[in-house]
Each structure stands twice: as structure tokens, then as C-alpha cells.
Amino acid sequence: QTQRALRSLSIPLERLHIMKGHMMEDMCKGLSRQTHAQAKVRMLPTYICSTPNGTEKGNFLAVELCQNQVRTMLVTLYGDGNMSPHMMYKIFDLPEGITQGEGEALFDFIAQCVSRFLAETLSSESRETTNLPLGFVFPFTCRQTQLDKAELLSWSKGFSCSGVVGKDVVQLLQSAINKQEMGTSGTDSDSNWLSSLRGRKSSQFTPSQLCHVEVVALMNDTVGTMMTCSMEGRPCEVAVVADKGSNCCFMAETYLVETAEETSGRMCVNTEWGCFGDDGILNDIFTPYDVRVDEESSNPGEKRFEKLVGSLYLGEIVRHALIALTAEKALFTGNDIAVLKEKGVFTMQHVLDIINNEDGITEVKRILESLGLQPSERDCGRVQQICQAVMGRAATLHATGLAAILSYMCQTRDLESLMVNVGMEGELYRGYPRFEEILLSVSRLLAPECMATLMPSRDGSGRGAAMVTAVALRLAAQRRAVDEVLAPLRLTRADLEKVQALMREEMDRGLCKETNPTASVRMLPTYVSHTPDGTERGDFLALDLGGTNFRVLVVRVTEEGISMASEIYVIPVSIMQGTGEALFDHIIDCIIDFQMKQNLVTQMLPLGFTFSFPCQQVGLDKALLLTWTKGFSASGCVGKDVVQLLRDAAQRKQHLGMQVVALVNDTVGTMMACGYDDPKCEIGLIVGTGTNACYMEEMRNVGTVEGDQGRMCINMEWGAFGDNGCLDHLFTHFDKVVDETTINPGKQRFEKLISGMYLGEIVRQILMVMVEKQLLFQGRPCPKLQTKNIFKTKFLSTIELNGLALRQIRAILNELELDASFEDSVLMREVCQAVSLRAAQLCAAGLAAVVEKMRENRGLDQLDITVGVDGTLYKLHPCFSDNLKKTLKDLAPNCNVTFLLSEDGSGKGAALVAAVADRAAN
């Protein structure tokens, strides 16, 4: 019978693996907004989003409500890595009966404890001038909606004060403290114990003796333990309390905590794992002894996991096992065991004494005899075995829960292995010598990918409460400073409406012959009046020049559709910024190379030239370069016909295998390429290295070209929007610095707010200011950050990937030789988001002006239109396109805009313009 009892208390490893899996499933349910209500592992958000980083400084008060005490503590931090905090304590015993009395009396008593403690520890000067933040350790299950707002869900551990369940306990304590500060507190019935606590007449206890105390954070004892252990110079991200009750908390990825509003960084989650198994999933490991303990508890069927592992219940499990074995005549034969039938007679301390004592059987015999039993030596041995089995099972189940937490952290952080510090507290952990050994060995068996280091909590969880408070104030101060830095980049709807209106004004000025020369948006006619009609046939060359790379293509248009072959060539910086002759000679060399590879040298092919720079077009195959952009500055080109420059280079190279018939910019090419697939595509948009837009305008509105019939594609060249100063109110300090360091200061100002060439630099400027303000890298200097263009725009895309493990962000930052903490990574992401969101919003405001003008031109209540779009920023950035569409819908609600990606780039569009031109010529 004894062996059977011992076997029932031993759980096979396979079953522990299953239990771990079930707990992880329940954790996921608890974090999900849809399934949270059904989850037994509650996974309550604590709104604690950071652990101490060592820079915390100041005086912080902590109050911890314990089983039969109130612990008060004043912690002074010096910003020295928290290695030498100064602490003062005072412990007050709870008056008899207060834990079952009125809630108001309990909170008044706690406030009186704070009052008395401060009266004894602070000088009168300090009390009059100091505002003290307070962290409150409240070891009961609460629904927390903010760090300083928590509604009590249920009492436990013998507490049952009236008028508290469903109330905000932070507000109850703050009200009690405020009464103290006013010099009024307590009801008449409370006056005796309040007066004895004061040790003086209430009239002598003036408000000035209590400085203003503000409750800024509430947590339970588990969270307090984690934060206490975070003061050891190493971050602690998990805590386990193995005490009368049992619980665990850990730092989870915030985006997974759907029950909280926060989305970035990490948040401490209070698992409340004591309720695991309340759905019956642990029934098969419940022994008859556990069933009896549960039935005799104050909450049958609830907190079933806790009843297997909590020290409040372990003595009772042993007691019921002994009763059952006695009934089976395996123990205490011939003994009167009436004493064992008394609930609570066999305590946790008895269990610890029996398994821990070096005297072995002699000590067991003494303990059992002190209870009125007359054990034999065999009885003593068997009782000791039962106690060891119950305690071993409790440690093993704690290890299973910890393994579930560690594996979940490892998986959700996308790590191959996890090394983490685990704060430990509680009677079971401290009292049972084998607890740590079992916890580590079993958790390692169940989660071999995780390595936990246990850190014993010192000074209870009160010190952790002070740390939570200190961290909360540090984060609040940092948040204010960060918001101040980023505020100029955050645009209101009114800001965007103003940009939309200004863009419309500049468009009208650009279209008008008289005002065109001074308009910042040039509204250049392209002489492209038609899109493909499907009758085009033949082979066409396309040259796509718009950045540091350019493409040469051959596009074959047949009845079956379009097929293409292309090659990408690089333009060295020395050629981009050399002479015009060298640039166009290089381009012709690349075209010759391509035609030779494609066996096209003997043919004279029509060529469409995509030239993505501002031009004044005076014919389909004649365009004067207005200015270089995107880092180009080749001499002898501005004011010249770029088609002629290309023809001259072909003549110098004696190349006769091509005939330039049309010049378009990349934006027009994109519109034409998408127009082949969607007849509604009448707008082209580029958001890549640079940015631009084109659209089909009514000829009657194009004052710079003769004729009123039909439509013509207008190349807006909107990158220069604002060059006349109309956007100066939007330019931040960061934008001005970036503009001043470009090769064309004061020009292409709209483009410098939006396009990929500049966003990384804007981010770098912001980061430098944040380092200077000690908001990043704890103020440590970052020489690498001083290097221009070190922060590539592609990093924005990577950093903003939704749910990207922050270790990958840290990898990017390490590549830049930036030693970033987790919090630094979160802040970096926020900076990138602010810059890219503004870019998308400004792009949407410009596009809103275009679609609204087209709608008005055509006299429509609702416009259905397609935008052909290209560019790496639009295509590769994870949020840009969504932010653009959302803002556009808001600013132009009467326009139904569809975006069509130009998968083949603008080369295909240039070839199609050439094909249409060739068809017309023939």
C-alpha cells in the first residue's frame, strides 16, 4: 500500500511533457483577447514594461501587504547600477480581525503604517518638501488595466475584507493616504488600534508630518520578486514564488499580450498559474489525498494546481495520505489516530522538519509523538517517504510550469536557446533543500533549449516594489522626453489637409502658363496622350535610368502578350558625378554589351528611354534636363536635350542598332506598364530612392501646351514641392540638417521628407539627439553614429517588421557597432516608425490632391482610379503602403483608389511608349 501511495505521488516524465504542453496552450489562450475568458492560466498584464537598468535615482517608498504584517520600506537609489541601494524598513503586525473586517479599515491601517514609518525615518524638512512615489505589493488576483489601476478579482490566503472586490485597490490606498495627509482617517470603531499605532493623540498627528505620497504602481508579490532580483546587476525576466500559494511571472513580448493596449517592447505577465487544471486537465494526477484536500478547502474545484504545490496544502496532503494508509493498516497499527483527523494538525513545518533533519528516524519519531502518535520505526520511515514524495512532486510540478514559461519565451523570441535569470522566493524554495536541484534538473529535461539561473530574492518583494516605482518614473520621464523629440514629426489631420491644399495650389500654378516658371511643382507635359490599344507588335528596346543602377531591356510584344529580357548595370559614383560625356558613353557601352548578348546588334530597334530626372519635355523624343537629383551631378547636361546627348554618345561609339523614339520618366513608365494590365490606371507613383507622380490631365487645363482636346500625361515632378518655402512649417531640425548636407540643399524638399534616399539619415539625426539627451544607450557616446549615411533606409524596413524578434534589431545595431539594450531596440523601432509614418502620410496628402483634382475635372461624385506604383520603399517597407492607403482614404473619401504594383519596373512602360509611338509613325 505504501509503494502504491508513493507511485501515485510520482509523475512520469512523459506526463510532465504533456502537462507542459497543456500549460503552454493555456498560456496562449490567456494572452488572446478572444479566448482569455476561457483560459485557466489567466496571463494578466501588469503594465510593467521594463526591468531596472541601473540609472534609477531618488527615494522610493514600498508597502507590502503580507499574511499577517504590513512591511514598509524606503529605498534610496543613486544611479550607480543599483549596486548599493540604501534601505530602511519597518514591519507592523496586522491587528486581529482586520483581515475579515471592512476594507476601508484595512487600507486606513496601511496608510497609518506609512505615516508612522515616514514620521520615524524622514526629517521634518524632508517631510514638508518631498513628494514620495509609492509601490504597493498586493498579493491577490487583480485585473490590472494600468500600472496604477487594478481591480481586485478575489481575496485568498484568509483575507475577506468587505467592500473591496471589484474596486480599484490603488484608489482605495490613495484615498486612505490622502485622508492621512488631511489629518482625518479611520472610523470611530477603528480609533483604538489607530491610536495605538500612532502612539500619540490624533490631534498631535498633523498633515505636515506626512509628505505627499502618490501610489504610482501596484504589483503582486511574484512581480515584486522579479524586480527585487533585477537589482543584482543582471536583468531578471522570470520570477517563481513557491510559498503558501504558487505563481510565476515573466517578461513577454508585448504584441502577444492582446488583453493590453500596448504593442511594443515587453511586458511582465502575471500568469496566475495556480488555477491551471481547474478545467479538469490534471484530474489523472490528482490522488485521493489531493481530492480530499480540495473538498475541505474554502474554494473546492478552484486553484487546483496551487493545491498540489502550495505550502498551505502540502501538510494537509501528507495528513490525508497518512489517514488512508492507516485505514489500509500500512501505518500506525493499533494506534489511535484521531489527532490526524483534525484539519491543520500536520503543518508544512512538520513536513520540512521530517525530511530535512539529519537525525533521520529519531526526529521523525519525536515529531509524531509530539502529535500524540506512537509510531514504530517502520512507521517513521514510511511517513518520511510520504513527506519526501509530496515535497518532491511539488518541486517537480513547479519545474514543469517553469519549463513551459521558458520554452514559450524561447519560441516567441525566435531564439535557438535561452539563457535567463529566474528570481525565487517562498517558504517551499527556502525551506526544502532539494527544491532548487529538482527545479533545475526537471526543467532542463523538459526544456533542454533553456538554461535558467536561479536568483534568491532578498528583502522580500518590497524592494522590488520600490524598483517598479523607480523604473516607472524613469520610463515616464523618458516617455516625455522622447515625445518632445518626436513631436515635430507627428502630423495631425489638419497638417495633412494643409499639405493637400498646398499641393493643389502648386499643381494649378504649374499648369498655368503664366505661373509655371515660379511653381515648385513643375507639372511637365510628357506628350504621352494614349495608352496601349493592343495592336502594338515587335521588339523594342528600353533603357531605364533612375538611380545608381540602370537596366537595359528588350520587350517583345506579340498577340500572346509581352515577354522581356533585361540586364542591370551599375553606374560608379565617379561617373555619376563626372562629365556628361563620360556618363552617356558608359550608358551606350552597356547598351552595346546587352545587344551583343541578346544577338540584336544587326537590328535597328525603337528605344524608349526612361529618364527619371526633372526635364522640360518639348516633344515625345526631346527633353531638356532641368536639374540633377538622387546624387547625380554630371557636368554639361543641365539645360541640354538628354535624347540628343544619348544620340551623340551612340555616334561617338558608332552604334547604329537603336533609334530613340520616346523619352519618359520612371513615373510615366510605371503608369504605362500598369496601364497595359488595367485600363483604369491613369496615375503613376514612385516611392523609392526618390519620389514622383504623374497622372492624365485634361488638355484644356494644360496651359503650357497648345490644344484643348483629349488628355495628356503630366509629369508632376512633385519632389520639388516646397522648394518655394510653402512647407517650411513642416521641416524639423532633423530635416534641415539632412537637407544642408545633401549635394542640392534647398531643393527637392518634399522628396527629402519622403524618399528612401533620406529617411535613414533623418533617423540617424534623431538618434544622435536622443543619445545626447541620454535617452539611448544610457548616454554612452556612439562614434559610429556620427558617420553620414551609416543608417541605411533598408534598416527601417527590417526594424519595423511586425513581430520581429528584437534580437534581430539588436543584430542590426551591433552591425553598426551600437551596443543596444532591449529598451534601446524598442525606442529605435519607435523612431523608425515615426519617420516612415510621416513619409507615408505626406505622400498620401500629395496623392489626395491628385485624385481629388481628377474627380473634379471629370465632374464625378465618386472616382474609381488605379495607381501604378513602383519603388523599393513602397514595395519593401512593411508598413508604408498600408499607412499610405489608410491616410489617402481619410483625405479623399470620394475616391476609390486601387494600387497596382509595377512588377516589371518602368522599363516595360518605356518600351510600350516606344511601341505606341512606332505604331503612330507607321
Side-chain angles (χ1 to χ4, degrees):
Q1 295 95 324
T2 307
Q3 288 305 312
R4 189 168 65 247
L6 293 172
R7 275 198 303 275
S8 72
L9 291 164
S10 174
I11 307 169
L13 186 61
E14 302 78 44
R15 181 64 181 88
L16 295 177
H17 272 292
I18 294 167
M19 187 189 302
K20 174 196 163 189
H22 284 150
M23 183 173 276
M24 290 177 73
E25 287 172 16
D26 217 30
M27 287 165 61
C28 293
K29 282 172 69 175
L31 289 171
S32 166
R33 190 176 284 109
Q34 284 74 33
T35 55
H36 173 76
Q38 291 87 53
K40 298 306 175 188
V41 181
R42 300 295 300 279
M43 304 297 281
L44 302 173
T46 65
Y47 296 85
I48 291 166
C49 297
S50 178
T51 52
N53 69 1
T55 63
E56 293 80 11
K57 191 185 293 187
N59 292 318
F60 304 95
L61 190 59
V63 175
E64 183 177 4
L65 179 59
C66 305
Q67 190 75 27
N68 42 33
Q69 295 174 329
V70 172
R71 288 166 51 95
T72 54
M73 180 185 299
L74 185 65
V75 178
T76 304
L77 301 172
Y78 300 101
D80 60 354
N82 300 329
M83 299 310 292
S84 56
H86 179 257
M87 288 179 282
M88 291 184 283
Y89 308 82
K90 189 169 181 66
I91 295 174
F92 301 88
D93 291 330
L94 285 171
E96 193 175 333
I98 197 169
T99 58
Q100 283 86 37
E102 292 180 10
E104 185 180 3
L106 175 65
F107 286 97
D108 281 344
F109 178 78
I110 296 171
Q112 283 284 340
C113 295
V114 173
S115 168
R116 178 67 180 272
F117 174 60
L118 292 178
E120 293 178 6
T121 54
L122 291 182
S123 66
S124 58
E125 279 184 28
S126 299
R127 287 199 298 275
E128 288 169 12
T129 58
T130 305
N131 285 326
L132 264 183
L134 179 145
F136 184 25
V137 181
F138 188 71
F140 303 98
T141 305
C142 293
R143 180 185 294 112
Q144 205 153 348
T145 51
Q146 293 174 128
L147 189 57
D148 60 352
K149 191 174 179 62
E151 175 188 310
L152 177 64
L153 295 178
S154 63
W155 287 112
S156 58
K157 304 171 190 174
F159 281 71
S160 59
C161 297
S162 62
V164 182
V165 173
K167 300 284 181 61
D168 177 5
V169 292
V170 173
Q171 190 53 53
L172 291 174
L173 179 57
Q174 189 67 62
S175 298
I177 288 171
N178 292 346
K179 283 193 285 183
Q180 286 295 312
E181 293 179 12
M182 297 294 292
T184 61
S185 80
T187 59
D188 292 340
S189 61
D190 302 325
S191 59
N192 289 339
W193 55 260
L194 286 173
S195 295
S196 65
L197 176 68
R198 294 185 186 122
R200 65 190 81 181
K201 292 180 182 175
S202 58
S203 59
Q204 292 177 301
F205 212 88
T206 59
S208 64
Q209 287 175 300
L210 184 66
C211 58
H212 179 61
V213 173
E214 185 178 359
V215 187
V216 301
L218 177 135
M219 71 230 67
N220 69 2
D221 50 346
T222 319
V223 177
T225 296
M226 184 185 81
M227 296 300 275
T228 295
C229 294
S230 289
M231 288 181 67
E232 308 297 326
R234 296 178 296 171
C236 176
E237 295 190 275
V238 186
V240 175
V241 170
D243 204 64
K244 288 182 172 58
S246 174
N247 198 10
C248 180
C249 68
F250 71 101
M251 295 300 288
E253 305 302 301
T254 304
Y255 74 94
L256 296 170
V257 188
E258 294 181 7
T259 49
E261 296 302 315
E262 306 285 329
T263 55
S264 67
R266 289 180 185 150
M267 181 184 289
C268 179
V269 170
N270 168 25
T271 65
E272 289 294 342
W273 72 12
C275 296
F276 178 54
D278 286 4
D279 55 359
I281 207 159
L282 299 180
N283 283 357
D284 62 314
I285 66 165
F286 253 59
T287 67
Y289 329 126
D290 301 311
V291 172
R292 292 303 305 276
V293 171
D294 181 39
E295 288 170 351
E296 291 179 3
S297 69
S298 59
N299 54 348
E302 296 176 14
K303 297 223 167 191
R304 302 193 81 196
F305 183 71
E306 183 165 279
K307 287 170 185 169
L308 296 173
V309 300
S311 64
L312 189 64
Y313 305 98
L314 299 185
E316 281 295 284
I317 296 170
V318 170
R319 182 175 71 87
H320 279 292
L322 300 185
I323 292 171
L325 287 172
T326 303
E328 293 174 348
K329 297 189 168 39
L331 274 179
F332 306 127
T333 310
N335 263 327
D336 178 9
I337 62 153
V339 65
L340 283 179
K341 295 186 177 172
E342 185 183 331
K343 185 179 176 184
V345 72
F346 206 93
T347 66
M348 176 66 181
Q349 194 56 52
H350 288 138
V351 177
L352 291 172
D353 289 344
I354 285 171
I355 62 175
N356 291 345
N357 208 288
E358 292 177 5
D359 292 339
I361 300 301
T362 309
E363 181 63 16
V364 179
K365 190 172 176 37
R366 187 194 65 75
I367 291 167
L368 293 175
E369 286 175 348
S370 72
L371 291 173
L373 297 167
Q374 296 173 332
S376 66
E377 193 167 313
R378 189 188 67 168
D379 292 339
C380 292
R382 289 181 175 176
V383 169
Q384 193 171 43
Q385 284 181 301
I386 294 294
C387 289
Q388 286 168 339
V390 169
M391 293 292 279
R393 184 183 67 162
T396 299
L397 291 175
H398 272 102
T400 307
L402 178 60
I405 300 289
L406 298 180
S407 287
Y408 179 83
M409 291 173 72
C410 191
Q411 288 175 19
T412 54
R413 295 182 184 188
D414 194 24
L415 298 173
E416 290 179 10
S417 61
L418 173 75
M419 294 183 70
V420 70
N421 294 320
V422 179
M424 297 297 305
E425 180 61 287
E427 182 181 16
L428 192 56
Y429 168 70
R430 294 192 181 281
Y432 179 32
R434 289 200 61 217
F435 186 90
E436 182 167 333
E437 173 202 333
I438 295 170
L439 190 73
L440 288 174
S441 61
V442 175
S443 63
R444 198 71 210 273
L445 281 172
L446 295 174
E449 75 282 15
C450 304
M451 177 69 76
T453 301
L454 303 189
M455 303 176 71
S457 171
R458 294 188 294 146
D459 309 308
S461 48
R463 186 164 75 155
M467 290 313 304
V468 170
T469 307
V471 169
L473 293 184
R474 170 173 63 79
L475 292 179
Q478 179 179 309
R479 172 44 47 202
R480 288 191 295 272
V482 168
D483 286 343
E484 191 179 323
V485 172
L486 296 180
L489 290 108
R490 291 179 169 145
L491 304 179
T492 64
R493 193 176 195 281
D495 291 331
L496 296 172
E497 286 172 343
K498 186 174 180 182
V499 172
Q500 181 181 349
L502 286 168
M503 177 68 86
R504 175 62 188 268
E505 284 176 25
E506 288 298 300
M507 288 170 70
D508 290 340
R509 292 184 69 230
L511 287 170
C512 174
K513 188 173 183 179
E514 290 72 27
T515 54
N516 173 271
T518 58
S520 67
V521 180
R522 298 300 303 276
M523 304 297 282
L524 305 172
T526 65
Y527 297 87
V528 172
S529 304
H530 300 284
T531 53
D533 66 2
T535 64
E536 296 81 10
R537 299 288 181 272
D539 290 354
F540 303 92
L541 286 175
L543 174 61
D544 180 9
L545 175 63
T548 51
N549 296 336
F550 76 99
R551 291 194 307 156
V552 185
L553 309 90
V554 61
V555 178
R556 294 186 171 89
V557 186
T558 65
E559 284 185 23
E560 287 73 36
I562 291 179
S563 62
M564 300 190 340
S566 67
E567 187 153 345
I568 294 173
Y569 296 90
V570 175
I571 303 179
V573 174
S574 58
I575 291 180
M576 286 168 61
Q577 298 177 1
T579 65
E581 278 195 7
L583 173 63
F584 283 95
D585 282 354
H586 177 70
I587 292 169
I588 290 294
D589 284 339
C590 295
I591 292 173
I592 293 170
D593 176 74
F594 177 77
Q595 284 189 270
M596 287 178 68
K597 288 176 179 174
Q598 296 291 327
N599 295 318
L600 298 172
V601 179
T602 58
Q603 298 182 48
M604 168 76 81
L605 296 179
L607 182 142
F609 186 8
T610 298
F611 189 71
S612 309
F613 300 92
C615 290
Q616 180 186 350
Q617 201 147 352
V618 290
L620 190 59
D621 63 347
K622 185 167 186 175
L624 310 178
L625 175 64
L626 296 175
T627 179
W628 283 118
T629 58
K630 305 173 196 175
F632 280 72
S633 58
S635 61
C637 298
V638 173
K640 301 286 179 61
D641 175 7
V642 290
V643 173
Q644 194 56 49
L645 290 174
L646 187 64
R647 286 171 177 160
D648 291 345
Q651 197 167 356
R652 281 195 299 275
K653 297 284 182 179
Q654 298 182 341
H655 181 56
L656 306 173
M658 60 172 218
Q659 177 188 4
V660 187
V661 297
L663 181 135
V664 294
N665 77 351
D666 55 348
T667 322
V668 178
T670 295
M671 183 190 77
M672 292 292 278
C674 293
Y676 186 83
D677 300 313
D678 182 352
K680 283 186 180 176
C681 183
E682 296 185 78
I683 300 173
L685 173 67
I686 299 287
V687 197
T689 309
T691 184
N692 193 16
C694 70
Y695 72 103
M696 296 302 288
E697 177 60 88
E698 310 302 312
M699 276 296 292
R700 65 177 184 273
N701 295 332
V702 185
T704 50
V705 176
E706 296 296 321
D708 289 338
Q709 298 303 307
R711 293 174 182 154
M712 181 180 287
C713 180
I714 296 295
N715 167 24
M716 294 177 67
E717 289 298 342
W718 78 3
F721 176 43
D723 287 6
N724 59 358
C726 68
L727 294 181
D728 283 1
H729 64 289
L730 290 181
F731 257 61
T732 67
H733 160 75
F734 316 113
D735 301 311
K736 289 170 187 167
V737 173
V738 170
D739 180 39
E740 287 161 7
T741 57
T742 59
I743 60 172
N744 57 347
K747 297 188 184 304
Q748 297 294 111
R749 300 194 79 194
F750 191 57
E751 181 166 273
K752 287 171 184 171
L753 298 175
I754 291 175
S755 75
M757 189 167 188
Y758 306 99
L759 298 191
E761 262 302 279
I762 296 170
V763 167
R764 185 179 72 86
Q765 294 296 333
I766 297 170
L767 298 183
M768 286 199 296
V769 168
M770 288 191 165
V771 171
E772 188 183 317
K773 291 180 178 287
Q774 300 198 331
L775 299 172
L776 264 179
F777 315 128
Q778 295 186 26
R780 291 189 302 273
C782 299
K784 195 77 179 274
L785 210 49
Q786 305 293 328
T787 309
K788 187 181 175 187
N789 294 323
I790 192 74
F791 201 92
K792 306 292 183 192
T793 297
K794 67 176 182 179
F795 291 154
L796 271 77
S797 297
T798 309
I799 284 172
E800 287 188 60
L801 275 173
N802 187 33
L804 177 74
L806 285 166
R807 72 178 180 89
Q808 290 168 265
I809 296 178
R810 290 175 72 175
I812 292 170
L813 301 180
N814 289 338
E815 188 183 321
L816 299 176
E817 296 175 24
L818 302 175
D819 181 19
S821 68
F822 176 84
E823 284 180 31
D824 291 334
S825 302
V826 173
L827 186 50
M828 297 278 280
R829 177 183 279 173
E830 184 178 354
V831 171
C832 292
Q833 286 170 336
V835 171
S836 70
L837 173 62
R838 182 186 67 157
Q841 289 175 328
L842 289 172
C843 187
L847 204 51
V850 174
V851 295
E852 276 296 312
K853 184 176 194 325
M854 293 177 78
R855 186 181 66 80
E856 290 174 22
N857 283 348
R858 299 175 188 189
L860 300 172
D861 293 330
Q862 188 78 24
L863 174 71
D864 287 325
I865 195 86
T866 297
V867 177
V869 61
D870 203 349
T872 50
L873 188 60
Y874 184 92
K875 284 182 173 179
L876 301 181
H877 191 281
C879 312
F880 189 94
S881 59
D882 287 342
N883 288 332
L884 170 62
K885 292 170 188 174
K886 180 182 173 186
T887 309
L888 178 60
K889 186 71 182 167
D890 187 42
L891 294 174
N894 296 322
C895 300
N896 182 28
V897 183
T898 303
F899 287 82
L900 183 60
L901 273 178
S902 172
E903 296 298 342
D904 302 326
S906 50
K908 173 179 161 184
L912 286 167
V913 174
V916 171
D918 188 61
R919 185 194 71 208
N922 292 329

